[in-house]
Structures are given as structure tokens and as C-alpha cells.
Amino acid sequence: MAAITAAIIEHRLAPGAKLTEQKIASIYGVSRTIVRQALFQLSRDHLIALEPSRGAFVASPSVEEARQVFSVRRMLEQHLVEEFCAKATSADFRALRAHMKQEQTVVRRIDVQGRTRLLGDFHVLMAERIGNRVLAQILSELISRCALITLMYQSSRAAEHSSDEHLEILQAMEARDVERAKALMEAHLADTENSLLYQPRTASADLLQALNPARGA
């Protein structure tokens, strides 16, 4: 269910929040069977945990899982930078520039939900623009998991630097400076991981407020 995914990624549902089938079904006017199927799919994507006799909860990634996710992202995104520099057209760079404009506007507004979504979309957009759908799908899943990780472990001050780092990466790619772009991407992901406090914040959000369809979920 896209609405639940968006609520998790945009930090409207916190790690550990209980997802009650009946309440979700009532919010969206659907059957519990549909909700159960959606929760099962989200569990396969590692965004929620299904616990026997207890129900569904937004996943709470461990420190080790967080480190593994960032390790995989570093490997994949080194390749992504190389491929983007080799294949990107002027239209692709314009698309990233347009995205950067949105991203920086949201960062200046201190819009936590919008910022989280757009900062992740920067990476997925790179893969989409060069037609690597498989990589875009894998990155989308990993970045969704990163959204949970940053919600649990990252300070708000550290998150504000990401957009500036994206701009530096984009400028290096526009110059077709592959090695500099790869180094900047490596540093960007390392900085993000190093900013994690590994002291989880797990307060749960109210389901009705988090999943309110009027909020565009």
C-alpha cells in the first residue's frame, strides 16, 4: 500500500509504530484482507515487521543492519555514478537540476517530510534517467530502509548537509569528472552514515494522523 510506504519514508510513522489492520482498513475504506496483503508485501520490503500473535509494526533497523545497508549503497552508487557520467544527456542533467531546485527549496523550509522524500529521490532519479530500471528499483528499496534508519539514528542538523553534497556531485558529473563524482558520492554516503547517532528514537505516531488520505498519501 503506497500510503503506508509514504508515511514511513516521510517520517509520519515512526519505527516501532503498531499497524492495526482494522484501523487501517477503516481509514481507507477497504477490507482487512487487502490491508493484510499490503502489510505482507511491506514486510518483504523490510519496511515493517510481522510478529506472531502481536501483529505488524514499522520496522526498527538494528545498528548492524544500518551499516550493511550503507555498505551496499556505497557499492551500487559507485557504479551508478560511472554509468550516469557515461550515458547522461543534456536533458538528464536538466532533470537533475530541476530536482535540485525543488530539493533546496524544501530544505530551506525545514520541511522534514518533503526533504526526506526528495533527498532519496535524487539517487533513484539518476538511475531512472539513464534507463537502469533494475538499479532504480533496488535503490528505491534501500533508500526506503535508509529513511527508517535516519529517522531512528540521525540528527536533524546532519540531514541538512545532504542537499549541498548532492549539488557538488551533480557539478562533478556535469563536468564528466568521473573520479571526483565517485569520490564525492562515497564521501556523501560516508558522511550520512557517520552522522548516525545509533541511539534510536522510537516514539510512535498516531495512525489516523499519519495515514490521513487528505495529506496526499
Side-chain angles (χ1 to χ4, degrees):
M1 186 178 290
I4 300 175
T5 301
I8 294 171
I9 294 172
E10 295 173 10
H11 295 178
R12 286 183 275 122
L13 277 174
K18 184 172 178 58
L19 302 173
T20 308
E21 287 183 10
Q22 185 57 58
K23 193 165 187 178
I24 295 172
S26 298
I27 290 171
Y28 292 107
V30 298
S31 69
R32 290 184 63 178
T33 300
I34 292 175
V35 173
R36 192 174 300 117
Q37 291 171 345
L39 293 177
F40 176 73
Q41 181 58 52
L42 290 173
S43 73
R44 295 183 63 182
D45 295 338
H46 306 283
L47 290 181
I48 72 166
L50 296 177
E51 300 184 12
S53 303
R54 295 191 66 226
F57 298 82
V58 177
S60 298
S62 67
V63 171
E64 182 58 31
E65 181 180 345
R67 289 175 173 151
Q68 290 174 3
V69 168
F70 276 99
S71 176
V72 173
R73 281 193 63 185
R74 282 196 297 272
M75 289 187 287
L76 289 176
E77 297 199 46
Q78 289 290 294
H79 171 73
L80 174 60
V81 166
E82 287 184 349
E83 191 173 357
F84 193 87
C85 287
K87 295 181 178 179
T89 65
S90 297
D92 296 327
F93 284 115
R94 285 196 299 271
L96 278 186
R97 279 283 176 182
H99 177 89
M100 285 301 312
K101 187 175 181 179
Q102 286 184 292
E103 191 178 287
Q104 293 182 328
T105 297
V106 170
V107 168
R108 285 195 294 270
R109 289 205 308 261
I110 318 178
D111 179 349
V112 176
Q113 294 173 13
R115 180 185 67 197
T116 300
R117 176 175 54 82
L118 287 170
L119 288 173
D121 285 350
F122 174 83
H123 300 262
V124 178
L125 180 59
M126 287 174 59
E128 290 176 341
R129 291 299 307 186
I130 57 176
N132 194 328
R133 296 177 183 176
V134 173
L135 182 54
Q137 183 177 7
I138 293 171
L139 281 176
S140 182
E141 178 186 332
L142 287 171
I143 288 166
S144 295
R145 296 173 73 174
C146 280
L148 269 174
I149 291 165
T150 56
L151 176 58
M152 288 184 66
Y153 299 118
Q154 189 179 58
S155 69
S156 58
R157 179 181 298 179
E160 295 172 4
H161 297 296
S162 289
S163 188
D164 290 336
E165 293 172 345
H166 285 173
L167 183 57
E168 290 180 345
I169 293 166
L170 175 55
Q171 289 169 338
M173 292 192 301
E174 286 175 326
R176 307 287 179 173
D177 189 339
V178 179
E179 293 308 313
R180 174 169 169 74
K182 288 172 63 177
L184 287 169
M185 181 65 81
E186 173 76 19
H188 168 59
L189 294 174
D191 286 347
T192 302
E193 183 178 9
N194 290 338
S195 74
L196 303 182
L197 303 176
Y198 291 131
Q199 296 172 353
R201 302 186 294 273
T202 57
S204 298
D206 176 76
L207 266 184
L208 180 59
Q209 181 182 6
L211 298 178
N212 185 354
R215 301 184 63 169

